[in-house]
Amino acid sequence: MAGGMAGGMARAALRRAGIGQRLARPPALGGRAAAAGWSGPAAGGAVQYCAELVRKRDYEGFLCSLLLPVESRTSAFALRAFNVELAQIKDSITQKTTGLMRMQFWRDAVEDIYGDNPPHQPVAAELWRAVKRHNLTKMWFMKIIDEREKNLDDRPYRNIQELETYAENTQSALLYLTLETLGVRDIHADHAASHIGKAQGIVTCLRATPYHCTRQKVFLPMDICMLARSFSKKVPVKAYPAFFCTVALDDYLYNMRKVDFNIFHPSLQKKSTLLPLYLYIRSWKKTY
């Protein structure tokens, strides 16, 4: 019952967002996009392509994006699709050289986007539109690419500071860009985004541990999670939608406590059926 209700809420929100569920089969692209292994949908389907990619690969981010104001929503899907494209490179290659080529494709794509000459790739096309709409900061895109490229070595983090740096340059950078789509350029919002991004990176590392089994022990610095909330009184309300990802973090940490912090427990690998409801309630209360 709960799963059906939550799924219905997500579908209804998707329809309200004006994003269709039927997508065209993506034809292969030529030039640099093809060389890097990318493909995209038929003309006019770039928005749907980004939304569907995020729905499949970043469901929590997909739900959070649906709650953004309409003028920011498609740009947020483009940003999250860009993040998904980069994140999945590491898992889709057998040789680092291939990963470096794909990272270089995106580095060149960002340069071309800011030169008003985006490549014929759906995510790049939507990023170009987002940059034009919101005057997004180029530096954050480059930080995400550079940090994801460093992570291709597939080695464990040496310490918590290294993990925080990775999270700051990926998750936090994505939040900074999301804030810009909301028209928020505020030091308090940026401060909160920095800590929330770090917390999200740490939780993501925890959630990935059962799959990668790269460590015998994992430690969660709860002070980072709590400190992000301490800024809420100073953060402008307009920035709150960018931080709805904290709802998913809370949900995971709550469920982890229920199983005595056993990160390998099967229940933690399941999709939260009540997450859409929790997100709706938090958005209705206008808090994060």
Side-chain angles (χ1 to χ4, degrees):
M1 177 69 73
M5 179 183 69
M9 290 174 61
R11 287 191 292 273
L14 191 63
R15 287 193 296 273
R16 289 195 298 272
I19 300 169
Q21 291 289 334
R22 297 185 62 186
L23 303 177
R25 182 177 296 276
L29 298 175
R32 288 185 292 127
W38 309 109
S39 62
V47 175
Q48 292 91 335
Y49 179 87
C50 290
E52 185 69 0
L53 179 61
V54 176
R55 186 183 69 81
K56 288 181 177 179
R57 301 287 185 173
D58 179 13
Y59 183 65
E60 293 170 359
F62 171 77
L63 293 176
C64 291
S65 296
L66 288 175
L67 296 173
L68 293 176
V70 65
E71 62 271 15
S72 303
R73 199 172 298 143
T74 55
S75 297
F77 279 129
L79 291 174
R80 288 195 173 272
F82 166 74
N83 189 55
V84 168
E85 291 277 20
L86 293 176
Q88 64 187 9
I89 289 175
K90 183 177 178 179
D91 295 329
S92 65
I93 60 172
T94 56
Q95 295 183 331
K96 184 179 177 181
T97 303
T98 305
L100 292 173
M101 286 176 57
R102 294 189 176 185
M103 291 294 180
Q104 188 58 46
F105 166 80
W106 282 108
R107 191 174 284 107
D108 292 341
V110 170
E111 292 287 355
D112 290 343
I113 284 168
Y114 279 86
D116 271 343
N117 185 33
H120 296 292
Q121 199 276 350
V123 177
E126 279 306 299
L127 281 181
W128 174 74
R129 294 185 181 96
V131 168
K132 299 294 283 185
R133 285 189 204 108
H134 309 289
N135 192 28
L136 301 179
T137 302
K138 178 181 175 182
M139 174 182 66
W140 300 129
F141 289 107
M142 291 306 191
K143 279 187 176 291
I144 294 172
I145 295 170
D146 290 344
E147 199 64 39
R148 292 285 188 186
E149 184 174 275
K150 292 177 188 176
N151 199 241
L152 289 176
D153 288 329
D154 202 24
R155 61 176 177 79
Y157 300 106
R158 290 175 294 185
N159 48 53
I160 193 64
Q161 288 75 28
E162 193 172 87
L163 174 54
E164 286 182 16
T165 298
Y166 174 78
E168 168 70 25
N169 291 329
T170 53
Q171 301 292 351
S172 297
L174 187 63
L175 288 177
Y176 298 146
L177 288 166
T178 304
L179 285 171
E180 291 184 349
T181 70
L182 293 168
V184 175
R185 285 174 166 82
D186 176 88
I187 187 171
H188 300 298
D190 287 347
H191 205 171
S194 176
H195 285 282
I196 290 171
K198 289 174 183 177
Q200 188 168 12
I202 292 167
V203 171
T204 299
C205 183
L206 279 176
R207 298 173 81 168
T209 300
Y211 296 104
H212 302 302
C213 296
T214 56
R215 297 181 176 188
Q216 295 300 313
K217 294 181 180 180
V218 182
F219 300 97
L220 178 67
M222 295 299 296
D223 56 332
I224 293 178
C225 301
M226 297 304 297
L227 186 59
R229 286 264 167 68
S230 69
F231 303 120
S232 61
K233 292 182 180 179
K234 296 182 179 180
V235 173
V237 175
K238 189 177 180 181
Y240 284 13
F243 302 145
F244 285 152
C245 57
T246 58
V247 179
L249 301 184
D250 285 343
D251 185 53
Y252 178 78
L253 294 174
Y254 171 76
N255 289 329
M256 187 168 66
R257 286 194 293 270
K258 282 173 52 178
V259 296
D260 197 25
F261 295 91
N262 176 12
I263 59 174
F264 294 94
H265 197 280
S267 66
L268 296 178
Q269 309 307 316
K270 297 177 181 178
K271 187 180 293 185
S272 175
T273 56
L274 290 176
L275 182 59
L277 179 61
Y278 297 154
L279 281 165
Y280 177 78
I281 292 172
R282 198 71 64 88
S283 67
W284 177 68
K285 289 184 175 180
K286 291 184 170 54
T287 186
Y288 69 87

